[in-house]
């Protein structure tokens, strides 16, 4: 029979945002495994999944670099009544989200409002 004696209190580490981003990016790298990265940093896989979710909700990309998305520019005007708000004043902008939903809004919408709309649409 084997007995293990713990001589110190519970080990609880604090991770900075930079460390979390680095570890999440390492786990997301092509060919890497979340389990392997977790073992290497002596953390549970759940930490990595939780941090990934946390960074996503904070709209922070794990690499800290800008992310470019494909954009399709069309000359078509949206039909009146299309989308949530009917006619969109000013220059209309349309964003197709990963969830399949589409956001239509004026180009002069503040960035922070747009980020909240995107988060809300993706969470729903």
């Amino acid at each position: 029979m084997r007995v293990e004696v713990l001589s110190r209190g519970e080990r609880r580490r604090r991770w900075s945002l930079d460390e979390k981003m680095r570890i999440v990016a390492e786990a997301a790298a092509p060919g890497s495994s979340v389990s392997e990265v977790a073992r290497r940093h002596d953390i549970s896989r759940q930490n990595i999944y939780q941090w990934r979710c946390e960074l996503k909700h904070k709209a922070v990309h794990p690499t800290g670099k800008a992310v470019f998305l494909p954009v399709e520019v069309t000359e078509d005007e949206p039909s009146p009544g299309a989308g949530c708000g009917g006619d969109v004043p000013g220059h209309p902008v349309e964003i197709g989200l990963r969830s399949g939903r589409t956001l239509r809004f004026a180009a002069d919408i503040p960035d922070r409002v747009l980020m909240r709309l995107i988060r809300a649409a993706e969470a729903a």
Side-chain angles (χ1 to χ4, degrees):
M1 185 161 128
R2 181 179 157 171
V3 176
E4 186 175 337
V5 177
L6 301 175
S7 60
R8 55 190 158 120
E10 179 183 332
R11 183 178 76 172
R12 185 176 185 115
R13 292 178 285 180
R14 303 281 180 199
W15 298 89
S16 70
L17 181 61
D18 289 338
E19 290 170 320
K20 290 178 183 180
M21 287 175 33
R22 185 177 45 78
I23 292 171
V24 169
E26 189 178 327
S32 71
S33 146
V34 173
S35 297
E36 183 180 296
V37 173
R39 258 185 259 115
R40 192 171 30 248
H41 293 283
D42 194 27
I43 58 176
S44 71
R45 293 185 331 240
Q46 181 58 32
N47 283 119
I48 295 175
Y49 293 123
Q50 185 176 358
W51 294 344
R52 183 168 48 185
C53 185
E54 176 186 318
L55 294 173
K56 179 181 172 185
H57 288 299
K58 287 183 178 179
V60 177
H61 195 268
T63 62
K65 298 178 183 175
V67 178
F68 294 97
L69 301 173
V71 175
E72 182 180 326
V73 178
T74 63
E75 295 295 323
D76 299 341
E77 290 288 324
S79 60
C84 306
D87 290 332
V88 178
H91 300 288
V93 176
E94 183 176 303
I95 295 179
L97 303 175
R98 281 182 255 151
S99 62
R101 293 185 172 97
T102 302
L103 288 177
R104 291 183 184 93
F105 52 90
D108 58 355
I109 190 171
D111 292 344
R112 62 183 170 76
V113 174
L114 178 57
M115 288 301 297
R116 290 172 114 182
L117 286 172
I118 292 172
R119 283 190 208 119
E122 286 183 337

